[in-house]
Amino acid sequence: MAKAISLSSADLKPEKPKTQSAVRQRGSVPSSELIPLQFRMPPEFVRAFKQEALNRDMKLNELLNFCFDDFMKNNES
């Protein structure tokens, strides 16, 4: 027969389990410091952009930042 264990009030408090996300967390910039950037693009572009981000294992904002950095490097005056 199993031994009985004593319970305290702390044992009876429900705890929300921490979920483990399969998505990478944001980089070194905290979410509170990020500013939303919203604009509309044609559906074909959005689909291709999202697919390219998946192919490169990047988040959408990471790919946009990478593209912008590359643009700035190639267009310096």
Side-chain angles (χ1 to χ4, degrees):
M1 186 181 280
K3 284 186 166 183
I5 56 172
S6 60
L7 298 174
S8 68
S9 61
D11 294 322
L12 300 176
K13 261 189 357 189
E15 288 185 20
K16 183 177 179 182
K18 291 185 178 183
T19 56
Q20 292 184 349
S21 174
V23 179
R24 284 184 293 132
Q25 299 301 312
R26 294 197 187 273
S28 59
V29 179
S31 296
S32 61
E33 294 181 18
L34 297 176
I35 299 171
L37 178 64
Q38 299 173 349
F39 49 89
R40 296 185 182 276
M41 298 299 290
E44 301 81 24
F45 174 85
V46 173
R47 190 176 306 110
F49 189 81
K50 286 182 174 183
Q51 186 60 55
E52 190 59 31
L54 283 171
N55 293 345
R56 293 173 179 259
D57 194 30
M58 297 173 83
K59 296 178 89 174
L60 297 177
N61 59 345
E62 292 171 339
L63 180 57
L64 180 60
N65 195 20
F66 174 79
C67 293
F68 182 73
D69 287 344
D70 191 52
F71 172 80
M72 294 300 287
K73 286 177 191 171
N74 292 327
N75 292 301
E76 290 179 345
S77 299

